[in-house]
Amino acid sequence: MKTILVVGGGYAGFYAAWKLEKRLRRGEAQLVLVDPRPYMTYQPFLPEVLAGSIEARHAAVSHRRHLRRTRLVAGAVTMVDHARKTVTVRPPAGPDFELGYDIVVVTAGAVTRRLAVPGVAERAIGLKHVEEAVAIRDRLLTAFDQAAGLEPGPLRRRLLTVTFVGGGFSGVEGFGELLSLATSLVRTYPELDPGELAFHLVEVQDRILPEVTDEPGAWVVRSLEKRGAHVHLNTHVVSSTDGHVVLSDGAEFDSELIVWTTGNAANPMVSRHTDLPINPRGLLTVRADLRVGTDAEPVPDAWGAGDDAAVPDLTSSLPGATTVPNAQNAVRQGKLLAKNIVATLRGREPKQYVHHSLGSVATLGLGRGIFQYRRLVITGLPAWLMHRGYHVLAVPTWERKVRVLAIWLTGLLFGRDIVSLASVQHPRDAFLAGGEPDRPVPAQSSATGNVDDLAGRAL
């Protein structure tokens, strides 16, 4: 039996393994999936997680629950040696080890692009994983609680100032949702004035949301500014040391929360630690049928897809164009990967990846959104409903669809939960703050101690 090893359990990797399980005959091949996380993150739900509209676990799809015929290996692949057909895995505990394979599927995904700006590494937080979205939400809620106990002044202004760096879909959606949460939250704090909220969106280009055309992008800027946000275009962050943000347009302010969403960078494992061919940007060189290599020089038994692969865009008129690294493409590439791998195992030719965009849709906060398909642009509540409808259909498995719908319906009835659980990030603090430890019970008193303990339990 051949071993098919999937590197990464994100969109493309999860769907490839999921569909391979359905298509492979018993005994035709064994599947192995390696990922440091035990779940696939449904990233379009992260803005709603940080706004409290979706429970954090509902944006994560369990590998173990849904990949029943796949061997799951917890760990990060640090090297792919295709010449030897082995990968090196770094587990959460213990030494590195090697896994062999017959066919490798590289879907390791991309990482957040972090620029060498002073203070970013120490202060900023990304928005690519569930734990980051939860931390952003809890930090905002905690900041409100702290600010409510202070007199107006610099410290209170700092606590109520939020900065998002990056005006792509992830940044704009997260910014809009968190602004929506903060605007509704301030009404429950009579000690605070809504005018004290300061939300800054910083984008180095002259527009936001590059996936839509100029006019819809400009409408989003106007919409955010009407809601009290500050949008800084053609601007970059010069420094954020100790939370003091300095922008290239001359603006300076203290910000308690800095969210970094400046796009993707090549996965270091793919760009530096593999003998598979990569392009100048550090992405895996992939053919239109998702096999690694070029039409002239294909690499046998190697496949790639998702954000770490430069997949040719056959729908584009631009020479050398590659598909946009987004959820639409990753999901569809993962599904085609499964079909093509099974086809080659059975002696058939694989199909090329061709996908015409279904349009772009984004949430900008509760009841607000934007949708564009070619020249058709829809804004406001209808676009927001379209966003929710599309993603509840797109999130994999009926189990997740039902859970998400249930939490949305609960939110309509009772509103968003505004309890901060930031303390769960440091679960031992309460235990250690309990005072001096008791003296150990002397050995000769152990019997009496046990009786007293039993009596206490009976009471």
Side-chain angles (χ1 to χ4, degrees), residues 311-384:
V311 180
D313 186 355
L314 301 184
T315 66
S316 175
S317 59
L318 299 175
T322 58
T323 57
V324 178
N326 62 19
Q328 274 191 40
N329 283 316
V331 168
R332 287 162 178 78
Q333 288 169 10
K335 293 178 179 179
L336 183 63
L337 265 175
K339 292 180 182 178
N340 282 353
I341 291 172
V342 172
T344 56
L345 286 175
R346 298 173 185 172
R348 299 196 303 268
E349 286 298 312
K351 295 181 179 179
Q352 294 185 325
Y353 178 73
V354 182
H355 171 61
H356 297 275
S357 174
L358 302 176
S360 299
V361 63
T363 175
L364 302 173
L366 200 61
R368 300 178 175 90
I370 184 168
F371 168 81
Q372 181 176 18
Y373 177 70
R374 296 181 181 176
R375 295 185 180 181
L376 174 65
V377 178
I378 300 173
T379 60
L381 180 62
W384 178 77

Side-chain angles (χ1 to χ4, degrees), residues 76-80 87-90 96 268-270 272-274:
V77 172
T78 58
M79 179 177 291
V80 177
V87 298
T88 303
V89 180
R90 179 161 296 161
D96 294 1
M269 186 277 292
V270 174
R272 303 173 196 167
H273 303 291
T274 178

Side-chain angles (χ1 to χ4, degrees), residues 189-202:
Y189 286 82
E191 307 93 334
L192 303 178
D193 188 315
E196 294 180 281
L197 291 178
F199 271 66
H200 297 266
L201 177 63
V202 183

Side-chain angles (χ1 to χ4, degrees), residues 101-387:
Y101 62 81
D102 296 291
I103 298 170
V104 68
V105 180
V106 182
T107 54
V111 298
T112 300
R113 184 176 56 159
R114 197 179 73 200
L115 305 179
V117 176
V120 167
E122 294 77 20
R123 299 290 308 182
I125 184 169
L127 186 53
K128 189 177 277 291
H129 302 290
V130 172
E131 57 268 29
E132 293 174 324
V134 172
I136 292 168
R137 175 177 178 268
D138 285 344
R139 288 186 187 185
L140 179 77
L141 296 175
T142 300
F144 267 76
D145 288 334
Q146 293 173 348
L150 297 173
E151 294 296 323
L155 181 54
R156 186 153 127 172
R157 283 198 303 272
R158 175 192 177 105
L159 288 168
L160 298 177
T161 300
V162 176
T163 306
F164 272 67
V165 184
F169 254 77
S170 178
V172 171
E173 287 191 312
F175 184 81
E177 285 285 351
L178 204 64
L179 176 61
S180 175
L181 173 63
T183 303
S184 64
L185 190 64
V186 75
R187 302 190 191 105
T188 65
Y189 286 82
E191 307 93 334
L192 303 178
D193 188 315
E196 294 180 281
L197 291 178
F199 271 66
H200 297 266
L201 177 63
V202 183
E203 170 54 42
V204 71
Q205 303 294 330
D206 60 356
R207 49 165 298 179
I208 61 174
L209 293 179
E211 294 86 349
V212 302
T213 53
D214 290 348
E215 183 51 38
W219 177 88
V220 173
V221 172
R222 293 194 299 270
S223 174
L224 292 173
E225 289 178 338
K226 285 180 182 178
R227 294 160 61 188
H230 307 276
V231 181
H232 306 263
L233 301 178
N234 289 314
T235 305
H236 64 270
V237 178
V238 176
S239 171
S240 61
T241 304
D242 296 327
H244 182 71
V245 179
V246 179
L247 303 182
S248 60
D249 64 0
E252 293 189 35
F253 48 87
D254 291 328
S255 181
E256 181 67 16
L257 180 58
I258 301 172
V259 184
W260 195 263
T261 61
T262 56
N264 295 331
N267 191 302
M269 186 277 292
V270 174
S271 61
R272 303 173 196 167
H273 303 291
T274 178
D275 56 353
L276 295 170
I278 59 172
N279 71 3
R281 292 187 296 149
L283 301 177
L284 201 64
T285 301
V286 176
R287 297 155 38 118
D289 60 9
L290 306 181
R291 285 188 285 190
V292 174
T294 62
D295 292 336
E297 297 182 14
V299 178
D301 300 324
W303 303 76
D307 292 354
D308 66 353
V311 180
D313 186 355
L314 301 184
T315 66
S316 175
S317 59
L318 299 175
T322 58
T323 57
V324 178
N326 62 19
Q328 274 191 40
N329 283 316
V331 168
R332 287 162 178 78
Q333 288 169 10
K335 293 178 179 179
L336 183 63
L337 265 175
K339 292 180 182 178
N340 282 353
I341 291 172
V342 172
T344 56
L345 286 175
R346 298 173 185 172
R348 299 196 303 268
E349 286 298 312
K351 295 181 179 179
Q352 294 185 325
Y353 178 73
V354 182
H355 171 61
H356 297 275
S357 174
L358 302 176
S360 299
V361 63
T363 175
L364 302 173
L366 200 61
R368 300 178 175 90
I370 184 168
F371 168 81
Q372 181 176 18
Y373 177 70
R374 296 181 181 176
R375 295 185 180 181
L376 174 65
V377 178
I378 300 173
T379 60
L381 180 62
W384 178 77
L385 292 173
M386 292 172 67
H387 175 272

Side-chain angles (χ1 to χ4, degrees), residues 5-135:
L5 191 145
V6 181
V7 179
Y11 279 111
F14 173 82
Y15 272 94
W18 198 31
K19 297 301 180 182
L20 277 169
E21 285 192 348
K22 299 177 186 297
R23 291 179 174 276
L24 288 169
R25 304 187 187 107
R26 291 282 180 183
E28 190 171 14
Q30 59 179 351
L31 293 171
V32 180
L33 185 143
V34 184
D35 195 280
R37 289 180 170 83
Y39 55 83
M40 183 207 85
T41 302
Y42 191 75
Q43 291 183 354
F45 279 161
L46 294 185
E48 295 209 48
V49 170
L50 66 83
S53 298
I54 287 180
E55 175 64 31
R57 287 185 176 88
H58 297 169
V61 181
S62 169
H63 291 156
R64 196 161 294 278
R65 181 172 187 142
H66 300 291
L67 300 178
R68 304 288 181 86
R69 296 171 53 195
T70 301
R71 177 191 169 196
L72 301 174
V73 178
V77 172
T78 58
M79 179 177 291
V80 177
D81 186 349
H82 194 60
R84 296 173 51 232
K85 288 196 173 182
T86 61
V87 298
T88 303
V89 180
R90 179 161 296 161
D96 294 1
F97 60 90
E98 290 188 344
L99 284 176
Y101 62 81
D102 296 291
I103 298 170
V104 68
V105 180
V106 182
T107 54
V111 298
T112 300
R113 184 176 56 159
R114 197 179 73 200
L115 305 179
V117 176
V120 167
E122 294 77 20
R123 299 290 308 182
I125 184 169
L127 186 53
K128 189 177 277 291
H129 302 290
V130 172
E131 57 268 29
E132 293 174 324
V134 172

